[in-house]
Amino acid sequence: YKFSWGEPGIDPGQFIRPHNIAVDNEEHVYVVDRECHRVQIFDPEGNFITMWNNIHRPDAMVLWQNHIYIGELNGMGGVDDAPGLGHRVTIYDLLGNRVCMFGAKEEGEGPGQFIAPHGIAVDSHGDLYVSEVSFTIRGSKMNPPKELRSFSKYERVW
């Protein structure tokens, strides 16, 4: 243990629910803050550099090559807090520019649909793996409870 930083709040350097981190080759520390709808970027000593806003409830994040892949979550507990927004994966360059996003407007288990993206990984081919907490978010609240898809792979097309 070396040190820590941050406190509860919505200002730069504060967090409501930090949910994932990544470190790039320049040693910038990216922190997903789910309930503040943002990613904050710090230097290795915890000094605030900048933030990317308007990322809807980011949960999952992975750095791969020169891009950050972020899983965005819509509603919880059976309530959609942004109808039609859809659960999605958004890809940003390291300057915070949106490169692309994918995911259907409606949640589900079909191709390109998500329920609750909560973990992301990218393999050496650039293929994307998305894990979801689908049972916790939706399936456990169904009558009767139902197991839902919780893992999917998307192949990178060059």
Side-chain angles (χ1 to χ4, degrees):
Y1 178 77
K2 299 283 185 177
F3 62 93
S4 61
W5 70 84
E7 61 186 14
I10 60 171
D11 291 329
Q14 297 179 327
F15 306 97
I16 300 280
R17 184 157 293 142
H19 221 70
N20 212 317
I21 63 170
V23 180
D24 69 16
N25 290 334
E26 304 296 318
E27 296 189 350
H28 294 128
V29 180
Y30 299 77
V31 181
V32 164
D33 190 0
R34 185 173 80 187
E35 303 313 320
C36 287
H37 303 274
R38 66 185 179 187
V39 173
Q40 294 188 69
I41 297 106
F42 301 89
D43 71 15
E45 287 76 43
N47 297 305
F48 176 81
I49 297 173
T50 191
M51 74 176 77
W52 307 340
N53 292 303
N54 302 318
I55 303 170
H56 194 71
R57 300 189 74 222
D59 279 330
M61 175 177 59
V62 68
L63 171 71
W64 186 72
Q65 295 185 346
N66 293 319
H67 293 93
I68 297 275
Y69 294 67
I70 298 176
E72 297 179 68
L73 181 65
N74 195 341
M76 299 217 13
V79 177
D80 284 334
D81 57 354
L85 182 63
H87 306 277
R88 62 190 183 197
V89 172
T90 306
I91 303 170
Y92 294 87
D93 66 20
L94 297 183
L95 297 175
N97 299 305
R98 183 185 300 158
V99 174
C100 69
M101 71 170 76
F102 67 94
K105 289 187 180 282
E106 300 302 322
E107 72 173 35
E109 297 180 273
Q113 290 183 308
F114 297 106
I115 294 172
H118 228 70
I120 294 183
V122 181
D123 68 18
S124 62
H125 304 287
D127 296 344
L128 182 69
Y129 300 81
V130 180
S131 64
E132 304 187 62
V133 291
S134 303
F135 181 76
T136 302
I137 298 294
R138 292 287 182 256
S140 65
K141 294 158 183 62
M142 297 174 125
N143 188 11
K146 177 185 174 192
E147 288 292 332
L148 301 170
R149 183 191 72 210
S150 59
F151 192 74
S152 55
K153 177 182 178 179
Y154 297 86
E155 186 175 315
R156 183 180 178 122
V157 179
W158 296 91

